[in-house]
Amino acid sequence: MSEATGQVKAASAKPKTFPARSFAAQSPTSGLVSHSIVRREPLPSDVQIEILFCGICHSDLHQVRNEWKDVMPTVYPVVPGHEIVGRVTKVGSAVKKFKAGDLVGVGCMVNSDRTCPNCKAGDEQYCNSFPTLTYNSEDKHLGGVTYGGYSESIVVDEAFVLRVSDKLKLEGVAPLLCAGITTYSPLRHWNVGKGQKVGIVGLGGLGHMGLKFAKAFGAHVVLFTTSAGKTADAKRLGADEVIISKDAAEMQKHANSFNFILDTVSGEHDLNAYLRLLTLDGTMTLVGAPEKPAPIAAFNLLMGRKRLAGSAIGGIRETQEMLDFCAANNMTADVEVIPMQDINKAYERLLKSDVKYRFSIDMASLKQA
Ligand code: NAP
Ligand code: ZN
């Protein structure tokens, strides 16, 4: 009995911690400033990582500003960041896959229940108990919430750590951990490829990776953008055609012609305009997650037996597959590297759709913060 009590105590005792320099927002309007957090000392299955680069996802901005309050309210202070690339500095006694010095990545999840049917199928992002997200999720080890990649280090169970090739530029690899997998996964799931006309809506972080993957999978790729100035870049990134979505006559020319449309837009926009462009049995999949719900006219779905779907990131196995695909095909995100100190300016530019095409934070800058 006393032995059993001892075991319970050992399991519930909080691990030792160490400090980590980070950037955090204290409220929806505070902006991000330097902030110190603690990380747990690695448990037996944990990997400790020195973060080298972290991408800035629009989800970071949505959550810093508490725009997803109805679904996942933000707990402050929030340390965002889920596009993490770094080097292993220490591993726990039971870690098998990694050793100090390895290059690794961490995406949007750091754990899940691992026992539900979805986890068992490799779809941890759809864990029936909801996955532990990299930030703003319950921290089951230290209490409070998890803290993300705008930080000099992170400690993650090895089951949620990805291998990263040393052949690619790391600043461009970081965004693959979210923007990459979030576009790769639905394009694979809906078997996008040769002989298909595929639309990507919005040329930002997700959109530019969507273009690259859809092109690499052999589809005829069309970009929809609100920014005429992005046309030349879109073609360089893989678009066969570019449509300015505000031009109703141009949109009309493509009615009933798309097999698949991937919508990556972060703000309010009309989904019906895109549903009308799908062919019979065509699918439009939302990955963008705007703050406000969007109205759908039933006729735009029922005429043509069209489907409207959604997709969230990807599982760990598929994320590794995507990273390996990128290494084999020499693919990375197009990034603007910034120091941590420029984070608030970067958020303002993100809101204006003014980034080419992902910000990647050089974490060496934290040492001067
Ligand atoms: P981003 O870099 O800001 O790109 C979004 C793009 O959407 C903009 O560049 C712009 O492209 C277009 N856009 C923005 N506001 C618009 C509006 N009101 N109307 C029409 N077009 C607009 O954002 P991101 O990091 O790629 O993320 C995009 C969305 O995906 C966000 O909502 C994010 O939270 C969500 N997300 C979801 C998942 C998931 O698992 N499903 C994962 C990551 C991110 P143009 O200039 O070309 O028009
Ligand atoms: Zn993201």
Side-chain angles (χ1 to χ4, degrees):
M1 190 68 190
S2 61
E3 218 170 79
T5 313
Q7 276 174 6
V8 169
K9 259 192 183 164
S12 61
K14 278 193 185 172
K16 288 190 182 137
T17 59
F18 63 94
R21 276 179 285 211
S22 306
F23 258 59
Q26 304 289 340
S27 81
T29 53
S30 66
L32 289 109
V33 292
S34 180
H35 179 71
S36 186
I37 57 166
V38 293
R39 300 291 191 188
R40 64 178 182 271
E41 284 287 350
L43 297 168
S45 60
D46 280 341
V47 175
Q48 184 176 325
I49 301 160
E50 178 198 5
I51 301 177
L52 299 173
F53 292 97
C54 184
I56 300 177
C57 180
H58 207 113
S59 305
D60 300 345
L61 192 153
H62 286 308
Q63 289 186 82
V64 158
R65 302 193 178 188
N66 205 12
E67 289 174 357
W68 292 345
K69 53 185 164 305
D70 299 334
V71 187
M72 45 175 100
T74 304
V75 177
Y76 296 92
V78 58
V79 177
H82 57 207
E83 294 187 333
I84 299 167
V85 161
R87 199 173 285 282
V88 175
T89 49
K90 217 192 225 186
V91 295
S93 55
V95 167
K96 292 199 174 63
K97 288 191 328 199
F98 303 100
K99 58 178 188 323
D102 287 353
L103 284 176
V104 292
V106 177
C108 300
M109 301 177 283
V110 289
N111 218 332
S112 67
D113 71 19
R114 307 191 206 183
T115 54
C116 75
N118 298 350
C119 285
K120 283 193 168 153
D123 286 323
E124 300 91 347
Q125 75 278 32
Y126 304 125
C127 174
N128 284 336
S129 319
F130 201 79
T132 303
L133 301 178
T134 306
Y135 64 88
N136 198 38
S137 245
E138 183 193 350
D139 185 330
K140 299 203 168 92
H141 299 284
L142 298 179
V145 289
T146 51
Y147 294 126
Y150 295 6
S151 176
E152 61 185 342
S153 65
I154 193 163
V155 177
V156 179
D157 189 291
E158 70 165 332
F160 285 77
V161 177
L162 289 308
R163 288 184 312 278
V164 163
S165 162
D166 60 4
K167 293 195 190 77
L168 300 174
K169 283 195 172 170
L170 295 181
E171 58 268 40
V173 172
L176 301 179
L177 275 304
C178 176
I181 185 60
T182 302
T183 49
Y184 182 93
S185 182
L187 292 172
R188 283 296 198 213
H189 182 81
W190 276 278
N191 296 313
V192 161
K194 225 176 157 53
Q196 288 178 335
K197 183 171 170 184
V198 171
I200 305 286
V201 190
L203 188 56
L206 267 57
H208 94 289
M209 288 312 304
L211 279 187
K212 290 188 187 202
F213 286 131
K215 187 70 188 170
F217 300 163
H220 179 86
V221 191
V222 181
L223 175 79
F224 297 95
T225 181
T226 57
S227 310
K230 293 182 181 175
T231 302
D233 280 350
K235 293 204 166 150
R236 175 179 59 77
L237 291 163
D240 296 293
E241 296 177 65
V242 176
I243 298 175
I244 308 302
S245 50
K246 295 172 203 157
D247 183 340
E250 188 61 23
M251 293 285 276
Q252 180 55 34
K253 281 190 207 154
H254 293 264
N256 307 314
S257 69
F258 281 84
N259 303 98
F260 185 77
I261 297 178
L262 187 67
D263 183 337
T264 76
V265 171
S266 53
E268 220 174 324
H269 62 296
D270 179 22
L271 301 184
N272 296 290
Y274 296 97
L275 292 172
R276 287 193 284 268
L277 305 190
L278 290 173
T279 184
L280 176 65
D281 289 326
T283 300
M284 166 145 149
T285 296
L286 307 180
V287 286
E291 180 177 8
K292 295 197 182 111
I296 301 290
F299 271 94
N300 285 327
L301 288 171
L302 57 89
M303 293 310 293
R305 203 164 47 200
K306 295 169 183 178
R307 303 182 184 102
L308 179 60
S311 182
I313 47 172
I316 294 297
R317 195 192 308 134
E318 193 175 38
T319 305
Q320 190 63 62
E321 174 190 307
M322 178 274 310
L323 287 169
D324 296 347
F325 179 89
C326 288
N329 293 281
N330 200 23
M331 282 170 69
T332 53
D334 287 29
V335 292
E336 293 188 45
V337 177
I338 60 158
M340 191 77 246
Q341 292 79 355
D342 286 355
I343 184 75
N344 296 308
K345 276 188 255 169
Y347 274 30
E348 288 309 317
R349 283 187 52 200
L350 200 56
L351 273 178
K352 291 187 209 140
S353 304
D354 172 27
V355 45
K356 291 186 170 172
Y357 279 89
R358 196 58 143 186
F359 290 115
S360 186
I361 309 165
D362 180 353
M363 282 303 158
S365 61
L366 255 189
K367 297 191 172 75
Q368 288 105 53

